[in-house]
Amino acid sequence: MEGKIIFKSQEESVELSMNQEASILSALKKASGVDSPNLEFTDNLEFGDFSSNIAMSIFANQESRIRNQGIKSTIHDSQFKSPHKLAENIVNKLKSDKELSKIVDRIETAGPGFINFWLKKDVLVDNLIQIDKEKEDYGKSKIGNGKTLVIDYSSPNIAKPFGIGHLRSTVIGQAIYNLYKFLGYKTIGDNHLGDWGTQFGKLLYMIDLKKTKDYSIDNLEKLYVEFHNLVKDDESLEKHAREWFKKLEDGESIARTVWKQCINVSLNEFNRIYDMLNVKIDNAFGESFYEEEMREMQNDPKISKFLVDGEDGKSKVIDLTSIGITTPLMFLKSDGGTTYATRDLATIVFRVKKYNPDIIVYEVGVEQRLHFKQLFAAAKILNLINDDVELVHTAHGLYLAPDGKKFSTRGGKTIKLEEVLDEAIERAKKLGNKDDKTAKDVGIGAIKYFDLMHSVQSNVVFDWEKIMNMEGNSGPYLQYTVARCNSVIQKASTFKGQALQDVYSNLNEEESKVLRTLVRFSGIIATAAKSYSPNLLCSYLYDLAQKYNSFYNAHRIIGDTNQEFRIMLTKVTGQVLKNGLKLLGIDTPEKM
Ligand code: ARG
């Protein structure tokens, strides 16, 4: 197959869809006189590849200016009686733009005043060649070069099970990390383990009381519950717990040793899950790591001048009313101990010093919305961070059980993520994926895809039927489409088809739709990253797979006169699906 296909290619090198978008935008800017016109991929290819509502927004702006200032209309007096007329005028100017005509061959107005653009077939076919050339690098870009992103994700708590609640953070966080890396950003992932705080005082007290050496998560969880039962009858236990935490903070050796052992046991369990999920996070510093920064902050007059007494007269808080937040941030508790928020502030100090990031993303659930609002506000007030650094809390939604109830417990027992993952692999086996590696790729891929296909902020209703659905929008469906592409290519290698000189003069509708979807890949990646929405990439991949499968079902590939082109189309579709799934952290088996 190699070297057989001779496509009629443009002289100039092919541009990625992002560059196409840039070219259309610059033409639109000239033609409309607006500095930042909008341009979007169309929802429906019937309306072209790109669409802009610039005429409508110019019109709406003028109307409101006229209304507000009482001035006589300029548009109403002129030939533009409607956004549609204005759109027509812009289209006429665009049609005479020589640069634009290199990539676009049809521009039309539609509806109340949309302007729609159709890419030239040369652009689509050249893109196909580019995919074939760049393979797993296709879609990569340099837009992030020189910029740094820190992402804080997964972050389970020591001595507690890795619940289903931390799954979303792990999976979404990894996808965002991958997307930004692909865009050329320097990316640093940090697993902000919950390994500090008064709960460790309670544990140390119980471990000492029971003289136990069993540091398994199950036992530690039990001890923690038992502490809370005991304390109901004897409040003095709180004091003991505080004393133990104080020992830990002061570095007392027994406290530190036992605490370290608890961490090791927990990390062993967590690492089993990360192995199953095939997730590797650059760092796992954990909350305890920032002791030095915390001490420095407490002694820093530039910080302490912002600390005021809390309501109890003993604690120290940061007042956030200047930023419109009425709940102050607790900086030091009444016993002088630090809080989750203090540690997060110290973490910002460390990250700024060490990485000088442009963006810090916290992939953490919506239940911590207030915490992050306070944190970001306090970081600004304390001047820990420049105004141009983007601080993002993704605020993902919850997992819900199929009945819509909270998912994290079953009959009072926490549901263990490991059991869910095991079941996914079992179910993948039942779908016919016999060997272990394939079953794992399909089972884990199904769980990850199901999580990622939901918009980050929405809740996810757990539903095995949908997760494993081979016919609909699911991980297995996409993996199966890749396997289908692989099998077509394999059969093709034994054929010696004729070279095809001029495919694009007679592209059929299904082929054309696949090509026009393929060309969107890099644009989608950039948008998904920018909006911290891996679900946009999921929708895209599903759309591409559906369009390919429609083509596959309607047309013969092997033995057709267009065989070479169709094989190529198959090959690059498989490649783009694979690249997209990889960004989502999903592996694709060769065969299914
Ligand atoms: N360990 C925390 C929890 O499970 C999440 C930590 C999120 N990251 C952060 N920097 N606060 O709730």
Side-chain angles (χ1 to χ4, degrees):
M1 228 172 86
E2 288 289 285
K4 275 256 186 65
I5 304 174
I6 310 154
F7 288 111
K8 207 178 5 169
S9 178
Q10 277 173 241
E11 290 295 336
E12 295 101 77
S13 69
V14 204
E15 316 251 25
L16 290 173
S17 77
M18 261 183 309
N19 298 342
Q20 294 144 16
E21 200 174 326
S23 309
I24 300 176
L25 276 172
S26 107
L28 256 180
K29 208 164 120 179
K30 266 191 263 159
S32 68
V34 171
D35 262 351
S36 46
N38 102 312
L39 187 69
E40 281 174 7
F41 287 129
T42 54
D43 287 336
N44 184 339
L45 291 176
E46 259 178 59
F47 301 117
D49 296 295
F50 290 99
S51 180
S52 175
N53 66 8
I54 184 65
M56 284 131 86
S57 77
I58 295 176
F59 203 83
N61 262 337
Q62 301 232 17
E63 290 261 280
S64 78
R65 216 174 313 145
I66 294 157
R67 232 177 296 120
N68 293 341
Q69 303 174 358
I71 47 171
K72 228 175 144 250
S73 160
T74 47
I75 0 175
H76 287 246
D77 287 347
S78 69
Q79 70 266 48
F80 311 127
K81 292 234 159 39
S82 65
H84 188 86
K85 282 268 180 300
L86 181 57
E88 275 176 352
N89 177 272
I90 296 174
V91 166
N92 282 336
K93 287 189 203 155
L94 288 169
K95 278 184 175 160
S96 58
D97 188 314
K98 284 233 168 53
E99 275 306 303
L100 188 63
S101 69
K102 288 182 187 161
I103 58 162
V104 162
D105 65 0
R106 201 173 139 199
I107 311 169
E108 282 178 11
T109 59
F114 289 106
I115 302 174
N116 296 339
F117 300 83
W118 277 258
L119 288 172
K120 272 186 151 171
K121 283 175 187 162
D122 314 41
V123 174
L124 304 177
V125 176
D126 284 352
N127 178 59
L128 183 101
I129 296 169
Q130 186 171 352
I131 302 170
D132 190 46
K133 206 169 84 200
E134 297 183 356
K135 304 212 163 46
E136 61 276 7
D137 287 335
Y138 175 73
K140 262 193 187 164
S141 85
K142 297 193 168 75
I143 57 177
N145 275 12
K147 290 195 210 121
T148 302
L149 168 127
V150 175
I151 178 161
D152 178 314
Y153 65 110
S154 194
S155 315
N157 299 316
I158 299 297
K160 298 222 177 104
F162 196 123
I164 184 121
H166 289 105
L167 177 67
R168 287 214 85 188
S169 179
T170 309
V171 172
I172 298 170
Q174 188 65 51
I176 293 175
Y177 176 95
N178 295 344
L179 282 166
Y180 274 87
K181 203 173 183 122
F182 210 59
L183 292 178
Y185 282 76
K186 179 170 177 218
T187 41
I188 295 125
D190 186 20
N191 193 352
H192 193 70
L193 295 167
D195 62 358
W196 205 243
T198 40
Q199 70 269 30
F200 289 96
K202 298 173 187 171
L203 271 181
L204 289 170
Y205 168 74
M206 290 303 286
I207 288 170
D208 182 53
L209 184 76
K210 302 272 171 181
K211 303 283 173 247
T212 177
K213 289 235 154 32
D214 176 3
Y215 303 141
S216 67
I217 292 185
D218 275 348
N219 192 44
L220 295 179
E221 208 190 6
K222 239 180 28 222
L223 292 178
Y224 191 69
V225 172
E226 203 178 332
F227 177 88
H228 282 275
N229 286 333
L230 293 175
V231 91
K232 280 185 206 140
D233 298 327
D234 182 359
E235 275 188 25
S236 74
L237 294 193
E238 289 283 8
K239 205 179 110 239
H240 292 306
R242 272 200 301 275
E243 281 163 11
W244 270 101
F245 185 55
K246 181 93 179 58
K247 283 191 205 173
L248 185 62
E249 285 200 293
D250 293 346
E252 195 262 350
S253 114
I254 294 182
R256 286 268 159 154
T257 312
V258 173
W259 169 75
K260 271 253 158 63
Q261 275 168 324
C262 293
I263 293 183
N264 287 341
V265 172
S266 288
L267 281 184
N268 275 340
E269 295 218 9
F270 297 164
N271 283 335
R272 257 203 337 268
I273 289 177
Y274 292 129
D275 280 348
M276 279 176 102
L277 290 173
N278 207 1
V279 163
K280 282 195 187 62
I281 307 175
D282 298 328
N283 304 319
F285 291 141
E287 291 181 38
S288 64
F289 180 79
Y290 304 97
E291 280 182 279
E292 196 184 305
E293 284 75 15
M294 279 195 280
R295 215 164 321 147
E296 277 171 18
M297 284 177 83
Q298 287 173 47
N299 297 326
D300 183 349
K302 288 202 288 302
I303 304 274
S304 48
K305 71 174 183 208
F306 289 104
L307 300 180
V308 295
D309 286 341
E311 267 180 12
D312 58 5
K314 285 193 224 140
S315 56
K316 294 283 175 208
V317 304
I318 299 166
D319 180 64
L320 305 172
T321 42
S322 65
I323 302 203
I325 300 170
T326 48
T327 324
L329 179 138
M330 175 80 76
F331 189 80
L332 289 175
K333 292 188 295 189
S334 50
D335 62 3
T338 62
T339 67
Y340 179 55
T342 327
R343 295 189 284 280
D344 255 332
L345 285 171
T347 308
I348 291 181
V349 172
F350 173 84
R351 286 174 180 164
V352 167
K353 194 165 63 185
K354 177 133 172 120
Y355 309 115
N356 187 24
D358 298 275
I359 309 176
I360 306 179
V361 181
Y362 296 84
E363 209 316 313
V364 185
V366 65
E367 67 282 358
Q368 295 195 26
R369 176 160 276 154
L370 177 62
H371 167 74
F372 284 104
K373 267 182 144 178
Q374 292 178 305
L375 179 68
F376 297 171
K380 293 259 144 80
I381 291 178
L382 299 180
N383 268 316
L384 302 183
I385 202 153
N386 283 339
D387 278 341
D388 54 1
V389 179
E390 196 180 324
L391 294 172
V392 183
H393 173 215
T394 53
H396 65 245
L398 286 177
Y399 263 111
L400 299 177
D403 60 5
K405 297 222 177 81
K406 246 184 117 175
F407 189 77
S408 54
T409 56
R410 188 188 281 151
K413 240 185 90 205
T414 359
I415 292 184
K416 294 214 178 108
L417 179 58
E418 204 162 353
E419 285 165 16
V420 176
L421 299 181
D422 280 334
E423 181 164 351
I425 296 171
E426 270 319 299
R427 284 177 183 259
K429 280 196 179 138
K430 288 204 187 101
L431 286 180
N433 303 295
K434 295 278 179 296
D435 77 281
D436 286 350
K437 169 84 173 89
T438 310
K440 186 183 161 195
D441 286 349
V442 174
I444 300 294
I447 294 276
K448 286 188 180 179
Y449 185 84
F450 187 69
D451 190 319
L452 292 167
M453 70 182 257
H454 291 80
S455 84
V456 172
Q457 287 81 22
S458 68
N459 290 336
V460 180
V461 178
F462 201 88
D463 181 340
W464 280 118
E465 294 309 311
K466 287 189 186 149
I467 292 172
M468 307 304 298
N469 180 8
M470 291 294 294
E471 253 99 72
N473 191 0
S474 76
Y477 171 80
L478 294 179
Q479 288 168 321
Y480 181 73
T481 307
V482 177
R484 166 175 277 174
C485 293
N486 291 341
S487 109
V488 170
I489 299 161
Q490 237 168 26
K491 279 189 216 127
S493 60
T494 58
F495 275 82
K496 297 242 181 306
Q498 67 285 24
L500 191 72
Q501 305 290 338
D502 196 359
V503 277
Y504 49 110
S505 56
N506 55 17
L507 280 178
N508 65 45
E509 193 181 326
E510 288 79 15
E511 290 167 337
S512 155
K513 279 186 178 164
V514 175
L515 281 177
R516 291 170 67 196
T517 307
L518 285 168
V519 82
R520 296 183 170 197
F521 185 58
S522 38
I524 296 285
I525 289 176
T527 317
K530 219 178 150 91
S531 57
Y532 309 99
S533 306
N535 61 301
L536 299 179
L537 178 55
C538 293
S539 311
Y540 168 82
L541 294 175
Y542 179 49
D543 184 41
L544 176 61
Q546 277 182 308
K547 294 211 164 95
Y548 176 80
N549 285 322
S550 302
F551 154 75
Y552 178 91
N553 291 326
H555 301 284
R556 191 155 71 139
I557 299 177
I558 311 282
D560 186 85
T561 46
N562 265 356
Q563 168 179 306
E564 295 297 322
F565 169 72
R566 290 183 179 173
I567 290 169
M568 180 70 130
L569 191 68
T570 302
K571 195 172 159 199
V572 301
T573 301
Q575 184 72 58
V576 169
L577 288 173
K578 229 156 81 181
N579 291 9
L581 287 169
K582 190 166 166 216
L583 287 170
L584 298 174
I586 299 172
D587 282 331
T588 36
E590 267 303 298
K591 268 201 272 193
M592 258 176 90

